[in-house]
Amino acid sequence: MHNPRCKFLVLFIQLVSIISFCNYSRQIRGEDNNTSAVKVDVGIILDLETDVGRVMHISILLALEDYHANASRGAIRIVPHLRDSKKDDVEAASAAIYLLKHVEAQAIFGPQMSTQTDFVIDLGNRVKVPIISPATSPSLSVKENPYFIRGALPSSSQTKAIAEIVKNYYWREVVVIYEDSPFGTGILPYLTDALLGISTLVSYRSAISPSANDDQIFRELYKLNTMQTRVFIVHLQPALASRLFLKAKESGMMSHGYAWIITDVLTSLLDSIDPLVIESSMQGVLGVKPYVPRSNELRSFTKRWRKRFRQEYPDTDQVELNVFGLWAYDSITALTEAVEEVGTTAIPKSKEPDTRENLTDLDALETSEVGSLLLESMKNTELKTGLSGEFHIIDGELQPYPYEIVNIIGKGERRVGFWTEKDGISHKLKMNGKPAKANNKQLGVIIWPGESTIVPRGWEIPTSGKRLRVGVPVKGGMEQFIKVERDPKTQAVTATGFGPDVFEEVIRSLPYAVPYDFIPFQITHRPTSQDYDDLVHRITSKEYDAVVGDVTILASRSEDVDFTLPFSESSISAVVPVKNDDRKNAWIFLKPLKKELWITTGAFFVYIGFVVWVLEHRVNKEFRGPKRKQVGMIFWFSFSTLVFAHRERVTSNLSRFVLIVWVFVVLVLTSSYTASLTSMLTLQQLQPTITDLNDLIKTGEYVGYQEGSFVKDVLKRMNFDSSKLRSYRTLEEYSDALSRGSINGGVGAIVDEMPYLRLLLNKYCRKYIMVGPMYKAAGFGFAFPKGSPLVPDVSRAVLKVVEGEVMNNIMQKWFGNETHCPAQDGMAVTSDSLTVDSFKGLFLIAGVSAGSALLLFFLIFLYHHREILASDDSIRQKLFAIAKAFDEEKDNSNSTSEKTETNESQAATLFAETEASPEVLSNLPLQSPEIRISDGLGASPEPEGFSTTEPGTPVQETIIGTIEER
């Protein structure tokens, strides 16, 4: 050091340093030799006591240096004025007022804390100065604050990425651990909504104060550890998060089966956490943070930034550049571009000081002339080559980035995937930010806490020593389904039966142990009754953790609890006594047809007889005569068609058409009647006393149901009177009530679910029968609290048990082999009597046919007698005339007499020639095969029609035979 050259070198270096420092100080204060340049003052408010504040400070300085290094921009000088808020809201407000009043800043960057930014934004709105803040709280709205521009992503933008991770691993419940401050509470509504969108429940919210000591943190973690949820989302500042994870490690919560997800602020600032804490207490944690693409510009800037940081903060431990520093750089770059766009003409070079007296600091603030111009330029700006990527601001809000999902391993992090708003989770991103196409929808291999690669289930049985409390019904009957007993010595509760056995097999099938205890619940029917609904509601009141037994899955119950998949099918039906053997009944021949069908058939017989009489009355002598004879003919002719015994011929084509249709209807009716009667007389059947529950309502009979069952509410909805309902417990009580009947203090029917009724019929096969209709029910299931993570696993286990041989063994054990009973296959039993509904189509065809023929007849009749209608007589006289014309016999004398004479001459000739020579028969004309020789003198031949042919005379038969031979 005594060498003169060394002394000179030291003095030279000191001189250069002093000159550089003075030059930099002038730049900071706005002092510059270039007096012709227009100066733009920009305020900067940062917490320089925090690493994030220092990182952003260096980035801002480098952004301004890069702006000023461009020679083409010498006309405008942007002068930064830095103020330290010292982590205090009041200091931040004071700094803002100072910058606006004394410096007359045209824009302000900061503050970085949301609570500080809130007041500064109000000042900006008042004086029309843009406030560019990296505050992330969603409660700061750019829509409600026109001069607020957010220079960072809001914390709400990451909630969908976190929810997608939770969805990817099928976690149904999570616990949110957040800082009890505006920073922590701002994200909660958005995170909760995002999780609800994937049907995931936030089971608990744990608020930790920034001032909480280690004991308070440990107690909170212990409480969380006693719960069953094992997925934790942490939204804390780095300092508080370090203490939390240290205590979580001590509590054993960083081991196998736990899952931890940290938000973007903590993930982006991992470098500020002690590496020993990361290595010892944060292994296996998942984190999300905005994705920053690597580039040569970023690498070059990082080197410059590190060098400058060591110069500005030589006494501070080295801090790494993070995304907040990059956003600060891009925000200032966007501001400089806005300043350039506004230009020098719009920026005032100087301003007269306000000389008014008695002004407060707020009153002295004047509206900026440039602020609104800068705002319009910055509110919608885009930096495609920003250091943080595509820095795009729309309406004052920074647009979402792709999120990077990292897994903390060792002292650092390892990328395992990405998330984008458009494509969700992906393993890789292309250079343009779009996801790859193939095999890209899953995250990479993740090392979970406890150095496990097995995905945590997301929940565990609480470690507090508490066992699963399972409620079981005690009802004193139907013990095949469930029977609850208590040991008099140990007071231990045991449950046996179909339901408990299935539950035990299901629990045994789970891939983990679930300890449980049965808790009895008494089902009664007293005025202060407790039923199955009350049993299920004990889960809602947190008295039980589950309910096992013959509990039916109902929509009303599922509003309060979650059911597993059903382990037994079910439906509601009725059982009634069997009728006595009706084959000994003297009136059994009337049973094949219902009363309505008998009446309808008789009415149609009369109707068809009347139609045929109308059509034949004028042209057929057999349908004429005294009135009594004609009325008798109507009934006789129609009813004789029942056995096809009618001998009267019909001559009208309309009558023949009607009879053809009606004979077909009669054929179908008689065939159906014969088949039904034959079945009744020959087959031995178990017939129910009733076939429809509505008959019980009409007759006012009593109906039985199982005590405590929801079937009572079903019967009330079917309009059964509550006073007509009686409850029973056992199968024996069911049988006794049905045997006695409603008159003797019993019931006319038992309405219950199918499993119970099958058990009843299995025991009393020939005494009772099941009748329909059946009302579908969801079946028996196990009930758990709403959102319980046990439900999916138990449901899958139920499927395994139901599909296996174990289920058959359980059913065989409790129900045995069902006795084969006729008509006991669960199908609805209906009446054997035929109803009108079965023949509606036939009656419709017959009625339309007869009606059409009758209408056509009257139209023709009225046309032939149109002179009566055209006369000047009164309506009454016209009706009498028409009736008289109808009653008159139609004149067919000419054709009849001619035909008679011809037939008589032919017959006489035939007789004469027959006596003379037998060969005369060969000359008979073949055109007259229908010649009949009457056995009565003077009788004319019968007209052809529907009739049974009379036996011929010997002569007639000889003639006909000879004609046939010829």
Side-chain angles (χ1 to χ4, degrees), residues 228-255:
Q228 63 181 7
T229 307
R230 291 294 180 263
V231 181
F232 303 98
I233 299 175
V234 180
H235 185 59
L236 300 175
Q237 297 281 4
L240 186 57
S242 300
R243 296 163 54 204
L244 174 80
F245 280 105
L246 283 172
K247 292 302 175 184
K249 181 68 174 180
E250 293 180 15
S251 303
M253 299 174 68
M254 297 303 299
S255 57

Side-chain angles (χ1 to χ4, degrees), residues 46 95 143 219 296 320 543 584 607 671 697 860 899:
L46 296 172
K143 295 182 180 179
R219 284 197 297 269
N296 294 330
E320 292 299 324
E543 296 181 47
K584 299 179 181 179
Y607 171 63
S671 300
I697 300 177
I860 296 173
K899 187 175 181 181

Side-chain angles (χ1 to χ4, degrees), residues 295-530:
S295 63
N296 294 330
E297 292 80 4
L298 179 59
R299 283 191 288 271
S300 175
F301 177 79
T302 303
K303 293 179 182 179
R304 292 173 53 207
W305 186 91
R306 289 173 178 170
K307 182 179 179 181
R308 189 60 176 271
F309 188 87
R310 286 193 296 267
Q311 293 176 357
E312 296 294 332
Y313 301 100
D315 299 330
T316 304
D317 294 335
Q318 182 63 40
V319 177
E320 292 299 324
L321 176 64
N322 54 49
V323 70
F324 291 98
L326 299 179
W327 282 335
Y329 181 93
D330 290 341
S331 297
I332 296 301
T333 301
L335 176 61
T336 60
E337 291 188 357
V339 171
E340 285 291 326
E341 185 177 343
V342 170
T344 59
T345 57
I347 301 175
K349 294 189 176 181
S350 62
K351 202 169 186 179
E352 295 295 330
D354 198 325
T355 58
R356 291 177 293 175
E357 298 181 355
N358 300 325
L359 293 177
T360 64
D361 287 339
L362 294 179
D363 293 332
L365 299 180
E366 295 188 3
T367 302
S368 172
E369 299 178 5
V370 185
S372 58
L373 300 177
L374 293 176
L375 178 71
E376 290 300 322
S377 180
M378 281 202 68
K379 258 187 153 335
N380 296 281
T381 185
E382 182 177 6
L383 299 178
K384 293 187 177 180
T385 58
L387 289 179
S388 61
E390 292 188 5
F391 188 83
H392 193 190
I393 294 177
I394 298 178
D395 295 331
E397 191 79 74
L398 183 62
Q399 296 307 293
Y401 280 54
Y403 272 92
E404 184 179 1
I405 304 172
V406 298
N407 185 203
I408 298 179
I409 302 296
K411 296 182 179 180
E413 62 189 39
R414 178 174 60 89
R415 181 190 300 159
V416 294
F418 298 90
W419 177 88
T420 60
E421 180 81 25
K422 180 181 179 181
D423 300 292
I425 284 179
S426 58
H427 183 55
K428 293 181 179 180
L429 282 178
K430 290 184 177 180
M431 294 303 294
N432 59 3
K434 296 182 179 179
K437 294 183 179 179
N439 301 325
N440 198 39
K441 291 300 182 182
Q442 292 296 326
L443 297 176
V445 177
I446 297 176
I447 307 299
W448 301 96
E451 299 182 356
S452 172
T453 57
I454 300 176
V455 178
R457 187 169 56 249
W459 64 275
E460 296 286 350
I461 297 299
T463 59
S464 59
K466 172 183 161 186
R467 297 162 63 88
L468 204 65
R469 299 166 300 174
V470 179
V472 288
V474 180
K475 53 184 181 179
M478 306 292 182
E479 295 180 351
Q480 293 89 341
F481 289 93
I482 187 166
K483 179 181 180 181
V484 181
E485 297 176 320
R486 185 187 294 273
D487 192 304
K489 296 182 179 179
T490 62
Q491 297 300 309
V493 177
T494 58
T496 57
F498 177 64
D501 280 10
V502 174
F503 180 72
E504 289 178 3
E505 287 296 331
V506 167
I507 295 299
R508 195 176 293 117
S509 300
L510 294 175
Y512 45 85
V514 180
Y516 60 89
D517 293 320
F518 288 125
I519 302 176
F521 180 86
Q522 189 69 39
I523 302 293
T524 61
H525 67 287
R526 300 177 184 83
T528 58
S529 62
Q530 292 187 122

Side-chain angles (χ1 to χ4, degrees), residues 194-246:
L195 292 171
L196 287 177
I198 60 170
S199 301
T200 297
L201 177 68
V202 178
S203 60
Y204 186 73
R205 299 178 181 181
S206 176
I208 298 181
S209 172
S211 59
N213 55 41
D214 290 347
D215 289 339
Q216 292 173 327
I217 295 176
F218 187 83
R219 284 197 297 269
E220 184 67 19
L221 289 173
Y222 178 80
K223 180 166 63 175
L224 297 179
N225 205 23
T226 61
M227 301 176 184
Q228 63 181 7
T229 307
R230 291 294 180 263
V231 181
F232 303 98
I233 299 175
V234 180
H235 185 59
L236 300 175
Q237 297 281 4
L240 186 57
S242 300
R243 296 163 54 204
L244 174 80
F245 280 105
L246 283 172

Side-chain angles (χ1 to χ4, degrees), residues 566-571 754-755 758 776-780:
F567 61 87
S568 176
E569 295 183 355
S570 181
S571 57
M754 191 70 73
R758 284 203 182 106
K776 199 67 179 174
F780 297 154

